[in-house]
């Protein structure tokens, strides 16, 4: 009996404690709500300052043959990225052999050493690695991405592709046919037509920037195995290259492995390409390429921009972010969100060794081609006016806060190191970049817009249905109107030779 009474008494006391605790918690909640401040929703909360970017040191060393190696150790995951950069590319194509650099690099992983294309692909896949090759304007790249555990075998394949490609005739014939097929398809692709015409108008056929990197029908058909071998032997030298390594490796270890695979690669004299300066656009001219039946008009507006190595770089980046370099940019908000003329409008500067193009463009509905042009020039003129502090702040935060994304993977880090080395940027460039962008002021942005955006000195390329858009474009009186056919831009549709 006493036991039962004790249990009842303890249960009663426990319930009383729970009720008291619940009452106290409720009181505290009510009190805290009573004294809480209501959030201010009249304006957006201020963004915190971005955390500084602190990357590991870039270590430098040379192999016995003089090949320079730049290593950034990243031991987070057991992966390795290697990019072999050759200081030769599309600008090194002879005038009558357009597409040579691009085709040479495309062929290098189609057979190397004692392996044909399929054997090489199987060997790479078996390791869980990736090896790719491509030619840029001023440099070509062979890249390797591999698990650390497979580094020795993957590095051997990587070196074979870089140093001992076999350029098999059968694979060359296949790639030529693929390129000619691509040229055929371009005749029905308005964006491709506009891109070729844009570069041709700004730079001309005599400048590498003005020619398609793919080549043309004649050059593609004429390129031979000997041409590819000559390009490779002429430019692929250790004194004309450097190697970037990012990942889970130590310098002493990777240097030994690289010596094993690359030490027999011999130095030699290399001829460097010399580019003539392109002539800047001085008038506003419209180049209308007729594409009958087109549902949309592709608009590209631009002029020659500026080299990568300019003191105005950060100011241009911020200015272009406001103009057309982000989803919330003026061009996109105007033509897409406000008027519904397009799914997206944009602008960009192509930064290269020599001055690349500035372009602004969109694909718009055919029946609003003239109206879209009006809005483009409204924005190109407006960006030359002073920028508000709020818009400037948003643009700088967009650039600065998005910058660390470029360093999320070892592959992206390697690409960033390429830029640093190609343009001899200071070693602390990456760590200082966000602060440098945030330091850009309104006067610098205004000066950049005033200097590089010239709405009365631009080429206007339009690819669309001439019958439907000509009169509306003409009535705008933007400038001289010139007419072209697709064949004027791309030549005749290529003929595929029978195998």
């Amino acid at each position: 009996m006493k036991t039962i009474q004790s249990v009842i008494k303890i249960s009663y006391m426990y319930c009383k404690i729970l009720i008291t605790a619940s009452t106290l918690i409720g009181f505290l909640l009510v009190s805290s709500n009573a004294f809480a401040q209501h959030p201010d929703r009249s304006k957006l909360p201020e963004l915190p300052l971005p955390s500084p970017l602190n990357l590991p040191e870039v270590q430098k060393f040379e192999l016995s043959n003089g090949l320079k190696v730049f290593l950034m150790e990243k031991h987070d995951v057991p992966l390795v990225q290697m990019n072999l950069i050759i200081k030769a590319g599309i600008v090194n194509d002879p005038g009558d052999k357009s597409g040579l650099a691009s085709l040479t690099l495309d062929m290098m992983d189609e057979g190397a050493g004692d392996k044909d294309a399929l054997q090489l692909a199987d060997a790479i896949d078996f390791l869980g690695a990736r090896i790719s090759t491509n030619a840029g304007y001023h440099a070509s790249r062979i890249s390797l991405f591999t698990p650390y555990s497979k580094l020795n075998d993957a590095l051997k394949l990587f070196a074979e592709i870089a140093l001992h490609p076999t350029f098999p005739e059968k694979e060359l014939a296949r790639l030529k046919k693929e390129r000619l097929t691509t040229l055929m398809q371009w005749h029905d692709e308005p964006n491709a037509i506009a891109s070729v015409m844009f570069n041709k108008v700004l730079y001309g056929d005599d400048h590498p920037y003005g020619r398609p990197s793919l080549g043309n029908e004649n050059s593609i058909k004429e390129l031979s195995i000997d041409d590819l071998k000559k390009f490779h032997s002429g430019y692929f030298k250790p004194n004309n290259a450097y190697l970037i390594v990012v990942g889970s490796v130590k310098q002493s270890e990777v240097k030994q492995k690289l010596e094993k695979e690359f030490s027999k690669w011999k130095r030699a004299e290399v001829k460097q390409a010399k580019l003539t300066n392109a002539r800047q656009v001085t008038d506003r001219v419209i180049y209308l390429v007729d594409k009958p039946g087109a549902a949309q008009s592709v608009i590209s507006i631009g002029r020659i921009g500026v080299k990568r190595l300019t003191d105005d770089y950060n100011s241009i980046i911020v200015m272009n972010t406001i103009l057309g370099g982000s989803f919330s940019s003026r061009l996109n908000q105007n033509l897409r969100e406000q008027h519904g003329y397009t799914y997206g409008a944009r602008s960009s500067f192509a930064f290269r060794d020599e001055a690349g193009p500035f372009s602004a463009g969109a694909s718009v509905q055919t029946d609003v081609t003239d109206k879209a042009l009006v809005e483009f020039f409204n924005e190109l003129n407006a960006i030359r006016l002073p920028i508000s502090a709020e818009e400037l702040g948003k643009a700088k935060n967009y650039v600065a806060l998005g910058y660390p994304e470029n360093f999320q993977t070892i592959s992206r880090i390697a690409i960033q190191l390429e830029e640093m080395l190609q343009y001899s940027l200071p070693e602390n460039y990456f760590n200082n970049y966000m602060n440098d962008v945030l330091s850009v002021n309104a006067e610098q942005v205004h000066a950049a817009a005033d200097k590089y955006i010239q709405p009365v000195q631009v080429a206007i390329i339009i690819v669309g249905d001439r019958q439907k858009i000509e009169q509306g474009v003409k009535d705008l009186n933007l400038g001289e109107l010139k007419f072209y056919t697709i064949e004027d831009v791309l030549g005749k549709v290529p003929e595929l030779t029978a195998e």
Side-chain angles (χ1 to χ4, degrees):
M1 188 68 178
K2 288 183 178 180
T3 303
I4 295 174
Q5 289 176 344
S6 299
V7 170
I8 293 173
K9 187 175 181 180
I10 292 171
S11 298
Y12 173 76
M13 293 177 62
Y14 181 70
C15 290
K16 193 173 181 179
I17 292 171
L18 286 177
I19 292 170
T20 303
S22 299
T23 303
L24 180 60
I25 291 171
F27 174 77
L28 291 173
L29 289 173
V30 171
S31 299
S32 63
N33 288 334
F35 290 101
Q37 293 183 352
H38 294 289
D40 181 5
R41 294 189 173 90
S42 62
K43 60 181 180 179
L44 293 173
E46 292 187 7
L47 289 172
L49 291 175
S51 301
L53 188 65
N54 294 312
L55 295 172
E57 175 192 2
V58 178
Q59 304 172 45
K60 311 178 196 72
F61 60 91
E62 284 190 14
L63 302 187
S64 57
N65 61 1
L67 177 64
K68 292 179 174 149
V69 182
F70 300 85
L71 167 66
M72 180 180 286
E73 292 186 24
K74 294 282 289 181
H75 297 281
D76 311 77
V77 289
L79 298 170
V80 179
Q81 176 77 37
M82 291 189 182
N83 288 6
L84 179 65
I85 309 302
I86 307 298
K87 300 176 187 177
I90 296 163
V91 299
N92 299 89
D93 286 350
D96 60 343
K97 296 185 185 296
S98 177
L100 174 58
S102 175
L103 188 56
T104 301
L105 269 293
D106 279 355
M107 279 287 294
M108 289 182 65
D109 59 355
E110 297 293 341
D114 60 355
K115 292 180 173 60
D116 62 24
L118 290 177
Q119 291 171 332
L120 192 56
D122 286 345
I124 295 169
D125 287 345
F126 179 77
L127 298 174
R130 293 197 304 266
I131 299 179
S132 61
T133 61
N134 72 285
Y137 277 103
H138 296 272
S140 298
R141 178 196 308 125
I142 305 171
S143 63
L144 165 67
F145 177 83
T146 180
Y148 171 77
S149 61
K150 305 297 182 183
L151 179 57
N152 289 342
D153 292 334
L155 183 56
K156 183 176 181 179
L157 295 174
F158 178 66
E160 289 282 10
I161 290 172
L163 307 185
H164 307 294
T166 54
F167 301 113
E169 189 73 52
K170 179 182 177 182
E171 304 304 334
L172 177 61
R174 177 178 59 82
L175 290 184
K176 280 187 174 186
K177 189 172 182 179
E178 286 182 4
R179 290 183 172 223
L180 292 172
T181 301
T182 298
L183 292 182
M184 291 175 62
Q185 294 170 339
W186 281 4
H187 282 255
D188 197 40
E189 294 180 2
N191 284 300
I193 299 166
S195 177
V196 172
M197 185 64 176
F198 183 79
N199 292 328
K200 183 192 294 280
V201 167
L202 260 61
Y203 293 97
D205 292 327
D206 294 333
H207 196 287
Y209 292 1
R211 301 190 294 260
S213 61
L214 202 65
N216 56 59
E217 180 182 6
N218 290 334
S219 67
I220 291 172
K221 288 182 175 179
E222 292 297 323
L223 288 173
S224 66
I225 294 295
D226 286 342
D227 291 324
L228 274 58
K229 289 182 177 180
K230 184 176 180 181
F231 185 93
H232 180 267
S233 64
Y235 295 109
F236 279 66
K237 302 297 179 185
N239 52 303
N240 193 46
Y242 56 89
L243 181 64
I244 295 169
V245 182
V246 182
S248 186
V249 286
K250 296 281 188 180
Q251 181 180 148
S252 57
E253 173 193 12
V254 75
K255 184 174 183 180
Q256 183 180 9
K257 295 178 186 295
L258 292 173
E259 282 285 0
K260 180 180 177 181
E261 303 299 340
F262 286 95
S263 61
K264 294 181 181 179
W265 192 17
K266 301 301 182 183
R267 301 166 61 94
E269 184 179 352
V270 177
K271 291 184 179 180
Q272 300 297 334
K274 293 183 179 180
L275 297 186
T276 56
N277 292 328
R279 187 176 300 175
Q280 182 60 277
V281 178
T282 56
D283 299 303
R284 189 161 62 191
V285 179
I286 303 167
Y287 303 84
L288 200 164
V289 183
D290 185 24
K291 192 174 191 309
Q296 291 184 317
S297 297
V298 177
I299 298 173
S300 294
I301 303 167
R303 64 199 314 267
I304 296 172
V306 62
K307 297 180 181 181
R308 171 61 179 85
L309 288 179
T310 170
D311 293 338
D312 299 325
Y313 180 77
N314 291 335
S315 303
I316 293 171
I317 292 294
V318 174
M319 180 270 293
N320 186 67
T321 299
I322 297 170
L323 175 61
S326 66
F327 185 83
S328 60
S329 68
R330 292 182 179 185
L331 282 173
N332 202 53
Q333 291 299 303
N334 182 331
L335 278 91
R336 174 191 161 103
E337 299 299 314
Q338 182 179 345
H339 289 98
Y341 294 159
T342 179
Y343 283 115
R346 70 275 167 194
S347 65
S348 65
F349 284 80
F351 293 103
R352 302 171 184 163
D353 290 43
E354 301 297 328
F358 160 74
S359 64
S363 295
V364 304
Q365 302 166 51
T366 295
D367 59 353
V368 297
T369 302
D370 53 345
K371 295 177 182 177
L373 283 170
V374 170
E375 298 307 324
F376 265 109
F377 281 96
N378 283 343
E379 298 300 346
L380 290 173
N381 283 299
I383 195 66
R384 291 162 54 83
L385 301 175
I387 307 295
S388 71
E390 180 182 3
E391 194 171 25
L392 176 64
K394 285 172 61 178
K396 293 195 296 185
N397 283 326
Y398 177 87
V399 176
L401 293 173
Y403 188 66
E405 184 180 359
N406 296 319
F407 302 89
Q408 286 185 339
T409 67
I410 58 174
S411 299
R412 289 189 178 189
I413 293 173
I415 293 294
Q416 295 302 311
L417 289 176
E418 278 186 40
E419 182 182 14
M420 184 185 80
L421 296 169
Q422 181 176 355
Y423 299 110
S424 301
L425 302 175
E427 292 184 15
N428 60 356
Y429 178 82
F430 300 136
N431 291 336
N432 292 342
Y433 181 78
M434 288 188 289
N435 285 333
D436 291 342
V437 167
L438 293 172
S439 299
V440 172
N441 59 46
E443 290 74 19
Q444 291 171 318
V445 171
H446 181 243
D450 192 57
K451 183 176 181 180
Y452 298 109
I453 308 297
Q454 300 289 334
V456 296
Q457 295 178 333
V458 290
I460 306 169
I461 285 76
I462 306 173
V463 179
D465 191 330
R466 174 180 173 179
Q467 185 177 354
K468 294 180 179 179
I469 66 178
E470 176 183 350
Q471 191 58 52
V473 173
K474 185 181 294 184
D475 290 344
L476 296 178
N477 293 316
L478 291 173
E480 182 183 0
L481 186 55
K482 297 182 178 182
F483 302 101
Y484 296 83
T485 66
I486 294 174
E487 284 193 1
D488 291 333
V489 181
L490 299 179
K492 293 183 178 181
V493 177
E495 295 181 4
L496 296 180
T497 56
E499 293 183 356

